[in-house]
Amino acid sequence: MAGTVEPYLDSLRRELQSPGPAALSVLLALLVVALTFLLWRLAQGARSTRRAVLLLGLCDAGKTLLFARLLTGRYRDTQTSITDSSAVYRVSNDKGTNVTLIDLPGHESLRLQFLERFKAAARAIVFVVDSVAFQREVKDVAEFLYQVLVDSTVLKNAPPLLIACNKQDVTMAKSAKLIQQQLEKELNTLRVTRSAAPTSLDASATGGPAQLGKKGKDFDFSQLPMKVEFVECSARGSKGEEGDADFEDLEKWLAKIA
C-alpha cells in the first residue's frame, strides 16, 4: 500500500514546491475541504449539545398528560401548568439514547416567556394540538405556531418539528390531514397581515420579523428550514384511564430525532 501511495505523495510535494498555478489550485482545494469539514463538525457538535425536546401548545391541549405518559406509561389527572417540568426520557431505539423532555406552560401570558428560556437548547419541538377543540381554537393555535416559526433562534437551529394531533380517542377529533390544511391556510393569512402591518423603528433597525415561507407563494410547511411532520395520537388512549396511551408514531419520531 505504501508503495502505491508514495508516487502520488511525491507528485503532491513537487506541486506544492513549485510556484505555478497548479500548486495554488491544490492548496485552494485542500483549504476548501478542510473548511467544509470544520464547519460540518461544528454544526454536528452544536446539535449534539442540544438534548431538549420541547412540548408546546395551548392550554388543555394535553401536553402534561402526554409528558407523564411518555415517562411513566400511567394515566394521571393534570391541571394547567404555570411552570415548566422536565425529565430524562430514554427513547426506544438501538442506541438507547436519552433526551430531556420539557413540558412548557401553554397559558398565553407564559408560553413565549418559557419558549425564550429553552429554545436555544431545543433538539426538537413537539407542538401539541387539541384535535377536538381545533376548529374553535384554530386562530389561537396558528398564532402561537407562527410566533414559534418566525423566531430567529428556531429558524437558525431548525429543530425538527412534530405537530401532535392529540385526543384522537374522541369521535369529534379532527384528522391530522385536516389540521395541517387549516394551519397552512391560517399561517398564510397571518403572514399576509403581518407583512402588511406598519413596522416599528426598532423592528426596522433589526430587519423586522422573519418572512414565513416563500415570498409570492401560498404557505405550506415544506417551505420551512426544518422538517415538519404530523401524527395522530391520544395521551388518554382509546380504552380510557385504565388503558395505554396511543402514541406509537410519536415514540417512533422521538427515537428518530434522538
Side-chain angles (χ1 to χ4, degrees):
M1 176 65 74
T4 305
V5 175
E6 192 63 34
Y8 295 99
L9 293 177
D10 289 339
S11 175
L12 179 60
R13 291 191 193 100
R14 288 194 298 272
E15 292 287 353
L16 292 176
Q17 288 169 358
S18 65
L24 294 177
S25 298
V26 171
L27 283 172
L28 182 60
L30 290 173
L31 181 61
V32 169
V33 170
L35 184 59
T36 302
F37 179 74
L38 178 61
L39 292 174
W40 179 81
R41 287 299 300 270
L42 288 173
Q44 290 296 107
R47 185 171 187 271
S48 65
T49 61
R50 298 194 295 269
R51 304 301 305 166
V53 177
L54 308 185
L55 300 181
L56 307 179
L58 304 188
C59 286
D60 299 323
K63 300 184 303 298
T64 303
L65 180 56
L66 204 61
F67 175 79
R69 283 285 211 176
L70 284 167
L71 294 172
T72 69
R74 295 190 297 272
Y75 179 91
R76 80 174 194 199
D77 291 327
T78 62
Q79 56 187 12
T80 301
S81 304
I82 58 172
T83 188
D84 61 281
S85 299
S86 63
V88 174
Y89 171 72
R90 187 179 181 88
V91 302
S92 303
N93 64 15
D94 296 335
K95 301 176 184 177
T97 315
N98 293 334
V99 294
T100 301
L101 294 180
I102 306 180
D103 174 27
L104 302 185
H107 194 278
E108 186 177 3
S109 64
L110 297 172
R111 56 196 183 211
L112 291 181
Q113 171 189 334
F114 280 86
L115 175 63
E116 183 70 25
R117 184 182 303 178
F118 292 105
K119 64 186 181 182
R123 184 179 188 84
I125 295 173
V126 178
F127 193 97
V128 185
V129 175
D130 183 338
S131 304
V132 179
F134 177 73
Q135 208 66 50
R136 183 176 68 253
E137 298 178 341
V138 59
K139 292 187 182 299
D140 291 333
V141 172
E143 172 72 27
F144 184 24
L145 185 56
Y146 179 90
Q147 291 171 322
V148 174
L149 294 176
V150 298
D151 182 89
S152 59
T153 301
V154 174
L155 284 172
K156 177 184 175 183
N157 293 339
L161 171 65
L162 184 75
I163 310 294
C165 305
N166 194 24
K167 303 187 182 181
Q168 290 292 320
D169 56 293
V170 181
T171 306
M172 299 300 292
K174 304 302 180 185
S175 69
K177 183 177 182 179
L178 176 64
I179 289 173
Q180 177 177 349
Q181 292 171 343
Q182 289 288 91
L183 282 177
E184 286 177 338
K185 181 179 178 181
E186 287 296 331
L187 287 168
N188 189 64
T189 301
L190 275 172
R191 178 180 65 171
V192 172
T193 55
R194 294 297 172 85
S195 62
T199 305
S200 68
L201 292 176
D202 289 342
S204 299
T206 58
Q211 172 71 36
L212 186 68
K214 294 182 179 179
K215 191 174 182 179
K217 291 187 177 182
D218 287 342
F219 173 79
D220 66 68
F221 286 102
S222 67
Q223 298 167 6
L224 296 173
M226 71 284 290
K227 185 173 183 179
V228 182
E229 297 179 61
F230 283 73
V231 299
E232 296 180 355
C233 62
S234 171
R236 185 173 184 272
S238 58
K239 296 182 180 179
E241 300 177 10
E242 301 302 321
D244 295 328
D246 296 327
F247 51 33
E248 183 179 347
D249 289 340
L250 169 58
E251 292 178 309
K252 287 180 180 178
W253 183 83
L254 287 170
K256 181 173 63 176
I257 61 91

